[in-house]
Structure formats: C-alpha cells, structure tokens
Amino acid sequence: MTKQIIFIFALLCTLQAQASVQPVQKDTVRHTIHYEVAELLQPMQPVYLNGVLLPASRTGNWFVSISGGATVFLGTPLGCEDLFGRVKPSYSLAVGKWFTPLVGARVNYSGLQFKDAQLSTQDYHYIHADLLWNLLGRRYARQEQVRWRLAPFMGVGLLHNTTNGNNPFALSYGIQTQYRISKRVSAMLELSNTTTFQDFDGYGYPNRPGDHMLSLTAGFTFHLGKVGWKRAVDTAPYIHRNELLVDYGNFLSEENRRYVGRHNQDKRTLVELKKILEIEGLLDTYSHIFDNDDITGCRYPINNYSGLNSLRARLKHSYWDGSSPLDTTILQTENGKPSYNYTASRNVPSAHQDTLAMDSTVLSYADGECIGAPIYFFFALNTTHLTDTSQTLNLDELARVAKKYSLSVRVTGAADSSTGTSSINDSLSISRAGFITAELEQRGIPAKRIIRVSKGGIADYMPVEANRHTKVELFFPKAK
C-alpha cells in the first residue's frame, strides 16, 4: 500500500512539472536578405592588374623601319688602314612586330659596300632575323604613352659577297633606341655588329670566325595596325558582382513564385466572390471592385453567369433579367419591371424541376430545349489559349451540372472575322471548339452527348475580341 501511494505521488509530481513548462513557440521570423539594387545595377569601373598587359593581336603593333648610315669592315687579317679609312655607306630595311611591350622580332635587310684587307671595295647583301628585347617595356603597365624604347637585339642571317661569291652564315647583335615622335612615327638610332667567317672577304681561314662589320645607322620607324597595349583587367570584382546578381535573381524568382501563388489564389477568390454577388443581385452595386481597366488597358467581355446560378434568384423574385452581355434576346417588360416566364419546358422531366431549383448551381428555364443562357469562353488572338485561366472554373461547373442531370452539351467555336483569312478562321474555330470539347470530356462528359459546331469567322459582337470565343449550351434530351 505504501509503495502504491509513493508511485501515485511521484506520478502527480511529474504531471505538475510538465504542466508548468511553458510551450515553446516556433520562430516565425524569416531572414530576409536586403540587396542594394541601385548599387548592383551600376556600371563598374575597371580595375587593372598591376604590371600585367595583354599580348598584341595579329594586326597590332607591326612596324616598318628605314635607316641609313656607315659600315666599317674589321677583318682577319685586318690590313694596314685604320678604322676611319674603312668607312663605307650602307642602308637597311626592316619589317617586324612587337608581341608584348618587352618582346619583338624583325626581318632585316642591309648592305651596300665595304673595304677588305687590301682596301678594295666589295659589294655585299645581308638578310637576317632578329629577336628584340625592350628594356623599358614595363613602363607601359604604369602609363599610357611611353616615348623611349631601348632594345638590345640578336639574330642570325646569311651574308652574300657579290664580288667573290661567298655566302657564309653570320651572327648579328647590337642595340637600338627609338623616340616616339607621334602615334605612328618614331625616330631610330641603331648600333650593330655582324660576325662571320674569316674568308668572307677572300682572305683568312675558312670556317673560323674573324670578320666583322660594324654599322651605325639612323632612320625612322612607322607603326602599323593597332598601336599600344591593353592593360589586363582584374576580373575578381566582376565575378563577385555576378555572384551577387545570381543570388538576387534567385531571390526575385522565389519572390515571383510566391506572389504568383498568392495572385492565383486571389483570382480564384474573386471569381467565387463575383458569382456570389451575381446570385444575390449585388453585382451592379459592387462592380467597381472588379473594374481593372486601368490596370490591363484592354478588357475582354466577361460572362455574367445569368444562365448558371440564376434560378435561385428568380425564385426569390429578385427581378434579375437573366441576360448575358453576349445574349441578344429581347425581354418584354411589364409595368416597368422585367417579366419572367418560370414555366418549365415541356421537354424538361418533371422529376428534375424541383431538384434543379434546389441545386446550388442553378439553371434558368428557357423556351425550348436549351437550359439557361450560354456560357462563353474567350481566347487570345489566333490561338486556342484562354485569355484568363480562371475560366476553367466554368468548365468544372458545367461538367458537374451536365453529369448530374444527364444534359447534352453543344459546343460552338468561333473566330474574329476582322483578322485572318476565311480558311484560317474556319480552322481556328474548329480548334477552339475541340479544345473546350476535350476539356469537358476530361471532366467526365461522354463524347456522344457533346455536339460540336464551328461557325468560322464572325463579326456579331463588339468589341471584336468578343468574337474569339467558344459558346457552351446545355440541353435536356428530346422527349421520345
């Protein structure tokens, strides 16, 4: 007994402790990222990498040089004349390209005359290819215009002595300096030397280097194609901006999906609210709520559902004329008020008359077989796309009523005759009727109870957009 009392006491204490614990609410605070949109969309000023330049394009930084000066031949054996006694004129032509501010190459031709060891005058030609290295090239990374260029060079070529016919290989080297006069022209001064074998002038040992030709020339260099160098842009700020823009785009997409869902929900709510106002006869009073001409700029005709959801209002003597905006039926009036004929058609089964009046989706009786006013489905120009997807709610309701009361359905497609040819409008009206027919079949109406009609292009209604429609009418089967 004591143990039982202790157990019950402990259980009560546990329950009391749990009851005293405050419930923990879920955190409803949602973290929102704030983007500086104006800053994200501002153009960025490029930031250049320090000391980095881009290589020249294929058409950029070509040059042609023309120069003239003097050449001194120093051979082995030297002969008896001094240095100034061996001076002879010479000239040179060169074509080249600078690949970077530091590295360039050229093909050079030079020649004319020289004095050999016996002080005899001989003619020569020299063609060589040189590699140039600009010692001041790094300045381009810090400033736009660089006036001076100091470029040592070295190359190989072929010498030709026209007097004795020798054609030895030669090594050329030297230094060149340039001063830029304008964007396209530079002044040039070059000191160079050519080393070849001793027997070039006909004296000395073959296959032994020993003959030299020292030249000093001056002239002009003409720059061709695109001149100058582009500094390399630092891509890191652009990559960071792109990442921010991608994040902002994803944020906008998520917000857009959220607003689209809310908008679709609001549209369905408004459609249902409008139906309720129509049933209660209050649509005219509150029609301004649904007026969105200022937003859309172009308004399509809209059903007022006088066929569907109307019998209840009639039975309550609400004096609703039951006409559709597209219905051309002329109603008679009596004492200034609409006069209605509530007599059911002879073809309406009596067993259905009471149930029709009790149904939440109410139908009006019309003279003959048709039940209520037709329902119109409007389409965009030259398409089978509904102008408003909320119109599918009408399809759901039509299918429900047609199945409940075993009604037949007539679907009539039409097109706007003011646009398109007759053949196009005929095909378009058939397609629109087929679209609504397929939607009704998907909602459970047998194909044998659907009559499909095509009217082609019509001009029955104003505005012309109203002619781009498919009309749906409900019928009781004919009495046998």
Side-chain angles (χ1 to χ4, degrees), residues 24-279:
V24 179
Q25 296 182 352
K26 289 186 67 175
D27 186 8
T28 58
V29 177
R30 189 166 64 94
H31 177 64
T32 302
I33 302 174
H34 295 281
Y35 293 91
E36 295 293 338
V37 180
E39 182 179 348
L40 283 177
L41 300 181
Q42 287 292 329
M44 295 182 62
Q45 294 297 327
V47 178
Y48 299 100
L49 295 174
N50 186 23
V52 180
L53 296 172
L54 298 178
S57 62
R58 290 181 296 178
T59 59
N61 293 305
W62 286 86
F63 64 87
V64 174
S65 298
I66 301 174
S67 61
T71 298
V72 176
F73 179 76
L74 303 175
T76 302
L78 180 59
C80 59
E81 186 61 80
D82 59 11
L83 180 67
F84 294 98
R86 297 174 179 274
V87 175
K88 297 291 289 184
S90 64
Y91 67 94
S92 67
L93 302 172
V95 177
K97 174 181 173 64
W98 287 97
F99 301 104
T100 70
L102 296 174
V103 180
R106 70 176 182 178
V107 175
N108 188 84
Y109 166 80
S110 60
L112 201 57
Q113 294 178 336
F114 71 95
K115 286 184 178 181
D116 60 14
Q118 301 296 325
L119 302 180
S120 299
T121 301
Q122 300 184 20
D123 298 331
Y124 79 99
H125 304 283
Y126 182 37
I127 298 178
H128 55 100
D130 300 325
L131 183 67
L132 299 94
W133 181 266
N134 182 17
L135 300 179
L136 306 179
R138 297 186 181 278
R139 292 187 177 183
Y140 286 95
R142 299 188 298 272
Q143 59 190 83
E144 293 291 335
Q145 295 292 334
V146 178
R147 291 288 183 180
W148 288 96
R149 176 177 289 159
L150 184 63
F153 63 88
M154 178 176 290
V156 294
L158 184 66
L159 270 168
H160 174 65
N161 190 328
T162 58
T163 302
N164 58 25
N166 288 340
N167 298 297
F169 283 100
L171 179 67
S172 59
Y173 45 90
I175 189 168
Q176 178 191 97
T177 182
Q178 291 186 10
Y179 177 78
R180 185 178 293 273
I181 300 173
S182 67
K183 181 180 180 181
R184 297 289 179 181
V185 181
S186 297
M188 179 188 71
L189 180 66
E190 182 176 309
L191 176 64
S192 63
N193 186 43
T194 301
T195 299
T196 185
F197 299 115
Q198 295 178 9
D199 61 345
F200 171 66
D201 61 346
Y203 306 98
Y205 296 100
N207 300 326
R208 290 185 182 180
D211 285 352
H212 305 276
M213 301 188 71
L214 184 65
S215 299
L216 179 65
T217 57
F220 297 95
T221 298
F222 303 94
H223 305 279
L224 308 177
K226 295 181 179 179
V227 179
W229 306 95
K230 290 184 178 180
R231 291 182 290 174
V233 177
D234 187 2
T235 59
Y238 293 94
I239 293 174
H240 180 64
R241 167 72 69 86
N242 185 64
E243 292 173 350
L244 291 178
L245 289 174
V246 169
D247 291 340
Y248 182 59
N250 294 334
F251 169 75
L252 291 179
S253 298
E254 184 63 31
E255 288 291 295
N256 184 63
R257 283 192 292 269
R258 188 162 61 88
Y259 286 126
V260 166
R262 183 183 300 175
H263 176 67
N264 291 335
Q265 183 179 359
D266 292 343
K267 285 174 61 177
R268 297 177 71 92
T269 303
L270 287 175
V271 170
E272 294 297 330
L273 177 61
K274 190 174 180 182
K275 286 184 178 181
I276 295 172
L277 292 176
E278 290 167 358
I279 294 172

Side-chain angles (χ1 to χ4, degrees), residues 430-441:
I430 293 173
S431 299
R432 287 171 175 170
F435 172 79
I436 297 298
T437 300
E439 292 291 325
L440 291 173
E441 289 178 357

